[in-house]
Coordinates of all heavy atoms in Angstrom, one line a residue:
M1 N -1.6 -29.0 -7.6 CA -2.3 -27.9 -7.0 C -2.4 -28.1 -5.5 O -2.2 -27.2 -4.7 CB -3.6 -27.6 -7.7 CG -4.3 -26.5 -7.1 SD -4.3 -25.2 -8.3 CE -5.6 -24.2 -7.7
E2 N -2.8 -29.3 -5.1 CA -3.0 -29.7 -3.7 C -1.6 -29.6 -3.0 O -1.6 -29.3 -1.8 CB -3.6 -31.1 -3.6 CG -5.0 -31.1 -4.0 CD -5.7 -32.5 -3.8 OE1 -5.0 -33.3 -3.2 OE2 -6.8 -32.7 -4.4
A3 N -0.6 -30.0 -3.7 CA 0.8 -30.0 -3.0 C 1.1 -28.6 -2.7 O 1.8 -28.3 -1.7 CB 1.8 -30.7 -3.9
A4 N 0.8 -27.6 -3.6 CA 1.2 -26.2 -3.4 C 0.4 -25.7 -2.2 O 0.9 -24.9 -1.4 CB 0.9 -25.4 -4.6
E5 N -0.9 -26.0 -2.1 CA -1.7 -25.5 -1.0 C -1.2 -26.1 0.3 O -1.2 -25.5 1.3 CB -3.1 -25.9 -1.3 CG -3.8 -25.1 -2.3 CD -5.3 -25.4 -2.4 OE1 -5.9 -26.0 -1.6 OE2 -5.8 -25.2 -3.6
T6 N -0.9 -27.4 0.3 CA -0.3 -28.1 1.5 C 0.9 -27.4 2.0 O 1.2 -27.2 3.1 CB -0.1 -29.6 1.2 OG1 -1.4 -30.1 0.7 CG2 0.2 -30.3 2.5
D7 N 1.8 -27.1 1.0 CA 3.1 -26.5 1.3 C 2.9 -25.2 1.9 O 3.6 -24.7 2.8 CB 4.0 -26.4 0.0 CG 5.4 -25.9 0.4 OD1 6.0 -26.3 1.4 OD2 5.9 -25.1 -0.4
K8 N 2.0 -24.4 1.3 CA 1.7 -23.0 1.8 C 1.1 -23.1 3.2 O 1.4 -22.4 4.1 CB 0.7 -22.3 0.8 CG 0.5 -20.9 1.2 CD -0.7 -20.2 0.4 CE -0.2 -20.0 -0.9 NZ -1.1 -19.1 -1.7
K9 N 0.2 -24.0 3.4 CA -0.4 -24.2 4.8 C 0.6 -24.6 5.8 O 0.7 -24.1 6.9 CB -1.5 -25.3 4.6 CG -2.4 -25.4 5.9 CD -3.5 -26.4 5.8 CE -4.5 -25.9 4.8 NZ -5.6 -26.9 4.7
R10 N 1.5 -25.5 5.3 CA 2.6 -25.9 6.3 C 3.5 -24.7 6.7 O 3.9 -24.6 7.8 CB 3.5 -27.0 5.7 CG 4.3 -27.7 6.6 CD 5.0 -28.9 6.0 NE 4.1 -29.8 5.3 CZ 4.4 -30.1 3.9 NH1 5.4 -29.7 3.3 NH2 3.5 -30.9 3.3
R11 N 3.8 -23.9 5.7 CA 4.7 -22.7 5.9 C 4.0 -21.7 6.8 O 4.6 -21.2 7.7 CB 5.0 -22.0 4.6 CG 5.8 -20.8 4.7 CD 6.2 -20.3 3.3 NE 6.5 -18.9 3.2 CZ 7.7 -18.4 3.5 NH1 8.7 -19.1 3.9 NH2 7.9 -17.1 3.4
V12 N 2.7 -21.5 6.6 CA 1.9 -20.6 7.5 C 1.9 -21.1 8.9 O 2.1 -20.4 9.9 CB 0.5 -20.3 6.9 CG1 -0.4 -19.6 7.9 CG2 0.6 -19.5 5.6
E13 N 1.6 -22.4 9.0 CA 1.6 -23.0 10.4 C 2.9 -22.9 11.0 O 3.1 -22.6 12.2 CB 1.2 -24.4 10.3 CG -0.3 -24.6 10.0 CD -0.7 -26.0 9.6 OE1 0.2 -26.9 9.7 OE2 -1.9 -26.3 9.4
K14 N 4.0 -23.0 10.3 CA 5.4 -22.9 10.9 C 5.6 -21.5 11.4 O 6.2 -21.3 12.4 CB 6.4 -23.3 9.8 CG 7.9 -23.2 10.4 CD 8.9 -23.6 9.2 CE 10.2 -23.6 9.8 NZ 10.8 -22.3 10.1
I15 N 5.3 -20.5 10.5 CA 5.5 -19.1 10.9 C 4.7 -18.8 12.2 O 5.1 -18.2 13.2 CB 5.1 -18.1 9.8 CG1 6.2 -18.3 8.6 CG2 5.0 -16.7 10.2 CD1 5.8 -17.5 7.4
L16 N 3.4 -19.3 12.3 CA 2.6 -19.0 13.4 C 3.1 -19.7 14.6 O 3.0 -19.2 15.8 CB 1.1 -19.5 13.1 CG 0.4 -18.5 12.1 CD1 -1.0 -19.1 11.8 CD2 0.4 -17.1 12.6
A17 N 3.6 -21.0 14.5 CA 4.1 -21.7 15.5 C 5.4 -21.1 16.1 O 5.6 -21.0 17.3 CB 4.2 -23.1 15.2
D18 N 6.3 -20.8 15.2 CA 7.7 -20.3 15.6 C 7.6 -18.8 15.9 O 8.4 -18.4 16.7 CB 8.6 -20.5 14.5 CG 8.9 -21.9 14.2 OD1 8.6 -22.7 15.0 OD2 9.5 -22.2 13.1
G19 N 6.7 -18.1 15.4 CA 6.5 -16.7 15.7 C 7.6 -15.8 15.0 O 7.9 -14.7 15.4
G20 N 8.3 -16.4 14.0 CA 9.4 -15.6 13.3 C 9.3 -15.6 11.8 O 8.3 -16.2 11.2
L21 N 10.2 -14.9 11.2 CA 10.2 -14.8 9.8 C 11.4 -15.6 9.3 O 12.4 -15.7 9.9 CB 10.3 -13.4 9.3 CG 9.1 -12.5 9.7 CD1 9.4 -11.1 9.3 CD2 7.8 -12.9 9.0
E22 N 11.4 -16.1 8.0 CA 12.5 -16.7 7.4 C 13.4 -15.7 6.8 O 13.1 -14.5 6.7 CB 12.1 -17.7 6.4 CG 11.3 -18.9 7.0 CD 10.9 -19.9 6.0 OE1 11.4 -19.9 4.8 OE2 10.1 -20.8 6.2
V23 N 14.5 -16.1 6.4 CA 15.5 -15.1 5.7 C 15.0 -14.5 4.6 O 15.2 -13.3 4.4 CB 16.8 -15.9 5.5 CG1 17.8 -15.0 4.8 CG2 17.5 -16.5 6.7
A24 N 14.2 -15.2 3.7 CA 13.7 -14.6 2.5 C 12.7 -13.5 2.8 O 12.7 -12.4 2.2 CB 13.0 -15.7 1.6
D25 N 11.9 -13.7 3.9 CA 11.0 -12.7 4.4 C 11.7 -11.4 4.7 O 11.3 -10.2 4.4 CB 10.1 -13.2 5.5 CG 9.3 -14.4 5.1 OD1 8.9 -14.5 3.9 OD2 9.1 -15.3 6.0
I26 N 12.7 -11.5 5.5 CA 13.4 -10.4 6.0 C 14.1 -9.7 4.8 O 14.2 -8.4 4.8 CB 14.5 -10.8 7.1 CG1 13.7 -11.4 8.3 CG2 15.4 -9.7 7.5 CD1 14.5 -12.0 9.4
V27 N 14.7 -10.4 3.9 CA 15.4 -9.8 2.7 C 14.4 -9.0 1.9 O 14.7 -7.9 1.6 CB 16.0 -10.9 1.8 CG1 16.5 -10.4 0.5 CG2 17.2 -11.5 2.6
I28 N 13.2 -9.5 1.7 CA 12.1 -8.7 1.0 C 11.7 -7.5 1.7 O 11.6 -6.4 1.1 CB 10.9 -9.6 0.8 CG1 11.3 -10.7 -0.3 CG2 9.8 -8.9 0.3 CD1 10.2 -11.8 -0.5
I29 N 11.6 -7.5 3.0 CA 11.3 -6.4 3.8 C 12.4 -5.4 3.8 O 12.1 -4.1 3.6 CB 10.9 -6.7 5.3 CG1 9.7 -7.6 5.3 CG2 10.9 -5.5 6.2 CD1 9.4 -8.2 6.7
V30 N 13.6 -5.7 3.9 CA 14.7 -4.8 3.8 C 14.9 -4.2 2.4 O 15.0 -3.0 2.3 CB 16.1 -5.5 4.2 CG1 17.3 -4.7 3.8 CG2 16.1 -5.9 5.6
I31 N 14.7 -4.9 1.4 CA 14.7 -4.4 0.0 C 13.6 -3.4 -0.1 O 13.8 -2.3 -0.8 CB 14.6 -5.6 -1.0 CG1 15.9 -6.4 -1.1 CG2 14.4 -5.0 -2.4 CD1 15.9 -7.6 -1.9
Y32 N 12.4 -3.7 0.3 CA 11.2 -2.8 0.2 C 11.6 -1.4 0.9 O 11.4 -0.4 0.3 CB 10.0 -3.4 0.9 CG 8.9 -2.4 1.0 CD1 8.1 -2.0 -0.1 CD2 8.6 -1.8 2.2 CE1 7.1 -1.2 0.1 CE2 7.6 -0.9 2.4 CZ 6.8 -0.6 1.3 OH 5.8 0.3 1.5
F33 N 12.1 -1.5 2.1 CA 12.5 -0.2 2.8 C 13.6 0.5 2.1 O 13.6 1.8 2.0 CB 12.9 -0.5 4.3 CG 11.7 -0.6 5.2 CD1 11.3 -1.9 5.7 CD2 10.8 0.5 5.4 CE1 10.2 -2.0 6.5 CE2 9.7 0.3 6.2 CZ 9.4 -0.9 6.7
I34 N 14.6 -0.2 1.6 CA 15.6 0.5 0.8 C 15.1 1.2 -0.4 O 15.5 2.4 -0.7 CB 16.8 -0.5 0.4 CG1 17.6 -0.9 1.7 CG2 17.7 0.1 -0.7 CD1 18.5 -2.0 1.5
V35 N 14.2 0.6 -1.1 CA 13.6 1.2 -2.4 C 12.8 2.4 -1.9 O 12.9 3.4 -2.6 CB 12.7 0.2 -3.1 CG1 11.9 0.8 -4.1 CG2 13.6 -0.9 -3.7
V36 N 12.0 2.3 -0.9 CA 11.1 3.4 -0.5 C 12.0 4.6 -0.1 O 11.7 5.8 -0.4 CB 10.1 2.9 0.6 CG1 9.5 4.2 1.3 CG2 9.1 2.1 0.1
I37 N 13.0 4.4 0.8 CA 13.9 5.4 1.2 C 14.6 6.0 0.1 O 14.8 7.2 0.0 CB 14.8 4.9 2.3 CG1 14.1 4.6 3.6 CG2 15.9 5.9 2.6 CD1 14.8 3.9 4.6
T38 N 15.1 5.2 -0.9 CA 15.8 5.8 -2.1 C 14.9 6.7 -2.9 O 15.3 7.7 -3.3 CB 16.3 4.6 -2.9 OG1 17.2 3.8 -2.1 CG2 17.1 5.2 -4.1
V39 N 13.6 6.2 -3.1 CA 12.7 7.0 -3.9 C 12.4 8.3 -3.2 O 12.3 9.4 -3.8 CB 11.4 6.2 -4.2 CG1 10.3 7.2 -4.7 CG2 11.6 5.1 -5.1
G40 N 12.3 8.3 -1.9 CA 12.0 9.5 -1.1 C 13.2 10.5 -1.2 O 13.0 11.7 -1.4
F41 N 14.4 10.0 -1.1 CA 15.6 10.8 -1.2 C 15.7 11.5 -2.6 O 16.0 12.6 -2.8 CB 16.9 10.2 -0.9 CG 17.1 10.1 0.6 CD1 17.5 8.8 1.2 CD2 17.0 11.2 1.5 CE1 17.7 8.7 2.6 CE2 17.2 11.1 2.8 CZ 17.6 9.9 3.4
L42 N 15.5 10.6 -3.6 CA 15.5 11.2 -5.0 C 14.5 12.2 -5.3 O 14.6 13.2 -5.9 CB 15.4 10.0 -6.0 CG 16.7 9.1 -6.1 CD1 16.4 7.9 -7.0 CD2 17.9 9.9 -6.5
A43 N 13.3 11.9 -4.8 CA 12.1 12.9 -4.9 C 12.4 14.2 -4.2 O 12.2 15.2 -4.8 CB 10.9 12.2 -4.4
S44 N 13.0 14.1 -3.1 CA 13.3 15.4 -2.4 C 14.5 16.2 -3.0 O 14.6 17.4 -3.0 CB 13.6 15.1 -0.9 OG 14.9 14.5 -0.7
K45 N 15.4 15.3 -3.6 CA 16.6 16.0 -4.3 C 16.2 16.7 -5.6 O 16.6 17.9 -5.8 CB 17.6 15.0 -4.7 CG 18.8 15.5 -5.3 CD 19.8 14.4 -5.6 CE 21.0 14.9 -6.4 NZ 22.0 13.9 -6.8
Y46 N 15.3 16.2 -6.4 CA 14.9 16.8 -7.7 C 13.6 17.6 -7.6 O 13.1 18.0 -8.6 CB 14.7 15.7 -8.7 CG 16.0 15.0 -9.0 CD1 16.2 13.7 -8.7 CD2 17.1 15.7 -9.6 CE1 17.4 13.1 -8.9 CE2 18.3 15.1 -9.8 CZ 18.5 13.8 -9.6 OH 19.7 13.1 -9.8
S47 N 13.0 17.8 -6.4 CA 11.8 18.6 -6.3 C 12.1 20.0 -6.3 O 13.2 20.5 -5.8 CB 11.0 18.2 -5.0 OG 11.7 18.6 -3.9
R48 N 11.2 20.9 -6.6 CA 11.3 22.3 -6.7 C 10.5 22.8 -5.5 O 9.3 23.2 -5.5 CB 10.8 22.9 -8.0 CG 11.4 22.4 -9.2 CD 10.9 23.0 -10.4 NE 11.3 22.2 -11.6 CZ 10.4 21.5 -12.2 NH1 9.2 21.5 -12.0 NH2 10.9 20.8 -13.3
R49 N 11.2 22.9 -4.3 CA 10.5 23.4 -3.2 C 10.9 24.8 -2.7 O 10.8 25.2 -1.5 CB 10.8 22.5 -1.9 CG 10.2 21.0 -2.2 CD 10.6 20.1 -1.0 NE 12.0 19.9 -1.0 CZ 12.7 19.3 -0.1 NH1 12.1 19.1 1.0 NH2 13.9 19.1 -0.1
G50 N 11.4 25.6 -3.6 CA 11.9 26.9 -3.3 C 10.8 28.0 -3.1 O 11.0 29.0 -2.6
S51 N 9.5 27.6 -3.5 CA 8.5 28.6 -3.3 C 7.3 27.9 -2.7 O 7.2 26.6 -2.6 CB 8.1 29.2 -4.6 OG 7.5 28.2 -5.5
V52 N 6.3 28.6 -2.3 CA 5.0 28.0 -1.8 C 4.3 27.3 -2.8 O 3.8 26.1 -2.6 CB 4.1 29.1 -1.2 CG1 2.8 28.5 -0.8 CG2 4.8 29.8 -0.1
S53 N 4.3 27.7 -4.0 CA 3.7 27.0 -5.2 C 4.4 25.7 -5.4 O 3.8 24.7 -5.7 CB 3.6 27.9 -6.4 OG 3.2 27.1 -7.5
G54 N 5.7 25.8 -5.4 CA 6.5 24.6 -5.6 C 6.3 23.5 -4.6 O 6.4 22.3 -4.9
F55 N 6.2 23.9 -3.3 CA 6.1 23.0 -2.2 C 4.8 22.4 -2.2 O 4.5 21.1 -2.1 CB 6.4 23.7 -0.9 CG 6.4 22.8 0.3 CD1 7.5 22.0 0.5 CD2 5.3 22.7 1.1 CE1 7.5 21.1 1.6 CE2 5.3 21.9 2.2 CZ 6.4 21.1 2.5
F56 N 3.7 23.2 -2.2 CA 2.3 22.7 -2.1 C 1.7 22.2 -3.3 O 0.9 21.3 -3.3 CB 1.4 23.7 -1.4 CG 1.7 23.9 0.0 CD1 2.3 25.1 0.5 CD2 1.3 23.0 1.0 CE1 2.6 25.3 1.8 CE2 1.6 23.2 2.3 CZ 2.2 24.3 2.7
L57 N 2.0 22.7 -4.5 CA 1.4 22.4 -5.7 C 2.3 21.7 -6.8 O 1.9 21.6 -7.9 CB 0.8 23.7 -6.3 CG -0.2 24.4 -5.5 CD1 -0.6 25.7 -6.1 CD2 -1.5 23.6 -5.2
A58 N 3.5 21.4 -6.3 CA 4.4 20.7 -7.2 C 4.7 21.5 -8.5 O 4.8 21.0 -9.5 CB 4.0 19.3 -7.6
S59 N 4.8 22.8 -8.3 CA 5.0 23.8 -9.3 C 3.9 23.6 -10.4 O 4.1 23.9 -11.6 CB 6.4 23.6 -9.9 OG 7.4 23.9 -9.0
R60 N 2.8 23.2 -10.0 CA 1.6 22.9 -11.0 C 2.1 22.1 -12.2 O 1.6 22.3 -13.3 CB 1.0 24.3 -11.4 CG 0.5 25.1 -10.3 CD -0.3 26.3 -10.8 NE -0.8 27.1 -9.7 CZ -1.9 26.9 -9.1 NH1 -2.7 25.9 -9.5 NH2 -2.3 27.6 -8.1
N61 N 3.0 21.2 -11.9 CA 3.5 20.4 -13.0 C 3.5 18.9 -12.7 O 4.4 18.2 -13.0 CB 5.0 20.8 -13.3 CG 5.5 20.2 -14.5 OD1 4.7 19.9 -15.4 ND2 6.8 20.1 -14.6
M62 N 2.4 18.5 -12.1 CA 2.3 17.1 -11.7 C 1.1 16.4 -12.5 O 0.1 17.0 -12.7 CB 1.9 17.0 -10.2 CG 2.1 15.6 -9.6 SD 1.9 15.7 -7.9 CE 3.2 14.5 -7.4
H63 N 1.4 15.2 -12.9 CA 0.4 14.4 -13.6 C -0.8 14.0 -12.7 O -0.7 14.0 -11.5 CB 1.0 13.1 -14.1 CG 0.3 12.4 -15.2 ND1 -0.5 11.4 -14.9 CD2 0.2 12.7 -16.5 CE1 -1.1 11.0 -16.1 NE2 -0.7 11.8 -17.0
W64 N -1.9 13.9 -13.3 CA -3.2 13.6 -12.5 C -3.2 12.3 -11.8 O -3.8 12.1 -10.8 CB -4.4 13.7 -13.4 CG -4.5 12.6 -14.4 CD1 -4.0 12.7 -15.7 CD2 -5.1 11.4 -14.3 NE1 -4.2 11.5 -16.4 CE2 -4.9 10.7 -15.5 CE3 -5.7 10.7 -13.3 CZ2 -5.4 9.4 -15.7 CZ3 -6.2 9.4 -13.5 CH2 -6.0 8.8 -14.7
L65 N -2.5 11.3 -12.3 CA -2.5 9.9 -11.7 C -1.9 9.9 -10.3 O -2.6 9.3 -9.4 CB -1.8 8.9 -12.6 CG -1.9 7.5 -12.2 CD1 -3.4 7.0 -12.4 CD2 -1.1 6.6 -13.2
P66 N -0.7 10.4 -10.0 CA -0.3 10.4 -8.6 C -1.2 11.2 -7.7 O -1.4 10.8 -6.6 CB 1.1 10.9 -8.7 CG 1.4 11.2 -10.0 CD 0.3 11.0 -10.9
V67 N -1.8 12.3 -8.2 CA -2.7 13.1 -7.4 C -4.0 12.4 -7.0 O -4.3 12.3 -5.8 CB -3.0 14.5 -8.1 CG1 -4.1 15.2 -7.3 CG2 -1.8 15.3 -8.3
G68 N -4.5 11.7 -8.0 CA -5.7 10.9 -7.8 C -5.4 9.7 -6.9 O -6.2 9.4 -6.0
A69 N -4.3 9.1 -7.1 CA -3.9 7.9 -6.3 C -3.7 8.3 -4.8 O -4.1 7.6 -3.8 CB -2.6 7.3 -6.8
S70 N -3.1 9.6 -4.6 CA -2.9 10.1 -3.3 C -4.3 10.4 -2.6 O -4.5 10.0 -1.4 CB -2.1 11.3 -3.3 OG -2.1 11.9 -2.0
L71 N -5.2 10.9 -3.3 CA -6.5 11.2 -2.7 C -7.2 9.9 -2.4 O -7.9 9.9 -1.3 CB -7.3 12.1 -3.7 CG -6.9 13.5 -3.9 CD1 -7.6 14.2 -5.1 CD2 -7.0 14.3 -2.7
F72 N -7.1 9.0 -3.3 CA -7.9 7.7 -3.1 C -7.3 7.0 -1.9 O -8.0 6.5 -1.0 CB -7.8 6.8 -4.3 CG -8.5 5.5 -4.1 CD1 -9.8 5.5 -4.3 CD2 -7.7 4.3 -4.0 CE1 -10.4 4.2 -4.2 CE2 -8.3 3.2 -3.8 CZ -9.7 3.1 -3.9
S73 N -5.9 6.9 -1.8 CA -5.4 6.2 -0.7 C -5.5 6.9 0.6 O -5.6 6.2 1.7 CB -3.9 6.0 -0.9 OG -3.2 7.1 -1.0
S74 N -5.6 8.2 0.6 CA -5.9 8.9 1.9 C -7.3 8.7 2.4 O -7.6 8.8 3.5 CB -5.5 10.4 1.8 OG -6.3 11.0 0.9
N75 N -8.2 8.4 1.4 CA -9.6 8.3 1.7 C -9.9 6.9 2.1 O -10.8 6.6 3.0 CB -10.4 8.7 0.6 CG -11.9 8.7 0.9 OD1 -12.3 8.9 2.0 ND2 -12.7 8.4 -0.1
I76 N -9.3 5.9 1.5 CA -9.5 4.5 1.7 C -8.4 3.9 2.6 O -7.3 3.8 2.2 CB -9.6 3.7 0.4 CG1 -10.6 4.3 -0.5 CG2 -9.9 2.3 0.6 CD1 -12.1 4.2 0.0
G77 N -8.7 3.5 3.8 CA -7.8 3.0 4.7 C -8.2 1.5 5.0 O -9.3 1.0 4.7
S78 N -7.4 0.8 5.8 CA -7.7 -0.5 6.2 C -9.0 -0.5 7.1 O -9.8 -1.5 7.0 CB -6.5 -1.2 6.9 OG -6.2 -0.4 8.1
E79 N -9.1 0.5 8.0 CA -10.3 0.4 8.8 C -11.6 0.6 8.0 O -12.7 0.1 8.3 CB -10.2 1.5 9.9 CG -10.3 2.9 9.4 CD -8.9 3.5 8.9 OE1 -7.9 2.8 9.1 OE2 -8.9 4.6 8.4
H80 N -11.4 1.4 6.9 CA -12.6 1.5 6.0 C -13.0 0.2 5.3 O -14.2 -0.1 5.3 CB -12.2 2.6 4.9 CG -13.4 3.0 4.0 ND1 -14.2 4.0 4.4 CD2 -13.7 2.6 2.8 CE1 -15.1 4.1 3.4 NE2 -14.8 3.3 2.4
L81 N -12.0 -0.6 4.9 CA -12.3 -1.8 4.2 C -12.8 -2.8 5.2 O -13.7 -3.5 4.9 CB -11.0 -2.3 3.5 CG -10.5 -1.5 2.4 CD1 -9.2 -2.0 1.9 CD2 -11.5 -1.4 1.3
I82 N -12.2 -2.8 6.4 CA -12.8 -3.7 7.5 C -14.2 -3.3 7.8 O -15.1 -4.2 8.0 CB -11.8 -3.8 8.7 CG1 -10.5 -4.4 8.3 CG2 -12.5 -4.5 9.9 CD1 -9.4 -4.3 9.3
G83 N -14.5 -2.1 8.0 CA -15.8 -1.6 8.3 C -16.8 -2.0 7.2 O -17.9 -2.4 7.5
L84 N -16.4 -1.9 5.9 CA -17.3 -2.2 4.8 C -17.6 -3.7 4.9 O -18.7 -4.2 4.6 CB -16.6 -1.9 3.5 CG -16.8 -0.4 3.1 CD1 -16.0 -0.1 1.8 CD2 -18.2 0.0 3.0
A85 N -16.5 -4.6 5.2 CA -16.8 -6.0 5.3 C -17.7 -6.3 6.4 O -18.6 -7.2 6.2 CB -15.4 -6.7 5.5
G86 N -17.6 -5.7 7.5 CA -18.6 -5.9 8.6 C -19.9 -5.4 8.2 O -21.0 -6.1 8.5
S87 N -20.0 -4.2 7.6 CA -21.4 -3.8 7.2 C -22.0 -4.7 6.2 O -23.2 -4.9 6.1 CB -21.2 -2.4 6.6 OG -20.8 -1.5 7.6
G88 N -21.2 -5.2 5.2 CA -21.6 -6.1 4.2 C -22.2 -7.4 4.8 O -23.2 -7.9 4.4
A89 N -21.5 -7.9 5.9 CA -21.9 -9.1 6.5 C -23.2 -8.9 7.3 O -24.0 -9.8 7.4 CB -20.8 -9.6 7.4
A90 N -23.3 -7.7 7.8 CA -24.5 -7.4 8.6 C -25.8 -7.1 7.8 O -26.8 -7.6 8.1 CB -24.2 -6.3 9.6
S91 N -25.6 -6.3 6.7 CA -26.7 -5.9 5.9 C -26.8 -6.4 4.5 O -27.7 -6.0 3.8 CB -26.8 -4.4 6.0 OG -25.7 -3.8 5.3
G92 N -25.8 -7.1 4.1 CA -25.9 -7.7 2.7 C -25.3 -6.8 1.7 O -24.5 -5.9 2.0
V93 N -25.7 -7.0 0.5 CA -25.1 -6.4 -0.7 C -25.5 -4.8 -0.7 O -24.9 -4.0 -1.5 CB -25.5 -7.0 -1.9 CG1 -24.9 -6.4 -3.2 CG2 -25.1 -8.5 -1.8
A94 N -26.5 -4.4 0.0 CA -26.9 -3.1 -0.1 C -25.8 -2.0 0.3 O -25.8 -1.0 -0.4 CB -28.1 -2.8 0.9
I95 N -24.9 -2.4 1.1 CA -23.8 -1.5 1.5 C -22.9 -1.3 0.3 O -22.3 -0.3 0.1 CB -23.1 -1.9 2.7 CG1 -22.2 -0.9 3.3 CG2 -22.3 -3.2 2.5 CD1 -23.0 0.2 3.9
A96 N -22.7 -2.3 -0.6 CA -21.9 -2.2 -1.7 C -22.5 -1.2 -2.7 O -21.7 -0.5 -3.3 CB -21.7 -3.6 -2.4
T97 N -23.8 -1.2 -2.9 CA -24.3 -0.3 -3.9 C -24.3 1.1 -3.3 O -24.1 2.0 -4.1 CB -25.8 -0.6 -4.2 OG1 -26.6 -0.7 -3.0 CG2 -25.9 -2.0 -4.9
Y98 N -24.4 1.3 -2.0 CA -24.2 2.6 -1.4 C -22.7 3.1 -1.7 O -22.6 4.2 -2.0 CB -24.5 2.5 0.1 CG -24.2 3.8 0.9 CD1 -24.9 5.0 0.7 CD2 -23.0 3.9 1.6 CE1 -24.6 6.1 1.4 CE2 -22.6 5.0 2.3 CZ -23.4 6.1 2.1 OH -23.0 7.3 2.8
E99 N -21.8 2.3 -1.4 CA -20.4 2.7 -1.6 C -20.0 3.0 -3.1 O -19.3 3.8 -3.4 CB -19.4 1.7 -1.0 CG -19.4 1.7 0.5 CD -18.8 3.0 1.0 OE1 -17.9 3.6 0.4 OE2 -19.3 3.4 2.1
M100 N -20.7 2.2 -4.0 CA -20.4 2.4 -5.4 C -20.9 3.8 -5.9 O -20.4 4.4 -6.7 CB -20.9 1.3 -6.2 CG -20.1 0.0 -6.1 SD -20.7 -1.4 -7.0 CE -22.0 -0.9 -8.1
N101 N -22.0 4.3 -5.2 CA -22.6 5.6 -5.6 C -22.1 6.7 -4.7 O -22.5 7.9 -5.0 CB -24.1 5.5 -5.4 CG -24.7 4.5 -6.5 OD1 -24.3 4.5 -7.6 ND2 -25.7 3.8 -6.1
A102 N -21.2 6.4 -3.7 CA -20.7 7.5 -2.9 C -19.7 8.3 -3.5 O -19.0 7.9 -4.5 CB -20.2 6.9 -1.6

């Protein structure tokens, strides 16, 4: 376990010192963008955008999970999470109970 942590620490130090990414990092990033672009093209190809209802409401034929995930992700951003961490550090656990009830 210590060897894995040491290896990880050495890799992070190398990246920070060199300021660059390794080939595996770049390959993963490129694959990610290819997948995202492909999903976007396929979604636009098979979507029903011929009417206002089809464009804005997905022809009222969308499952609740992607709608909920979209609402959640548009509400929770990185600045929100960083702000909560700062508020939690400043005022303790009280901010967590506030957010759970919000």
Side-chain angles (χ1 to χ4, degrees):
M1 181 110 162
E2 291 178 13
E5 287 181 23
T6 306
D7 186 44
K8 185 185 286 186
K9 190 180 289 186
R10 196 175 311 127
R11 179 175 156 85
V12 169
E13 288 172 357
K14 181 181 182 294
I15 290 172
L16 292 175
D18 295 345
L21 299 173
E22 293 185 12
V23 175
D25 300 326
I26 295 171
V27 168
I28 289 172
I29 292 169
V30 168
I31 289 172
Y32 170 77
F33 279 112
I34 289 172
V35 168
V36 168
I37 290 170
T38 303
V39 167
F41 279 131
L42 290 175
S44 73
K45 180 180 178 183
Y46 293 115
S47 66
R48 298 181 199 109
R49 295 179 292 163
S51 66
V52 173
S53 173
F55 184 77
F56 287 107
L57 301 174
S59 299
R60 298 189 184 271
N61 193 22
M62 191 171 224
H63 196 261
W64 66 268
L65 188 61
V67 174
S70 173
L71 289 171
F72 181 78
S73 65
S74 63
N75 186 30
I76 304 293
S78 60
E79 68 278 354
H80 187 83
L81 296 175
I82 291 171
L84 282 176
S87 296
S91 62
V93 181
I95 195 71
T97 57
Y98 170 75
E99 284 297 324
M100 286 178 10
N101 292 322

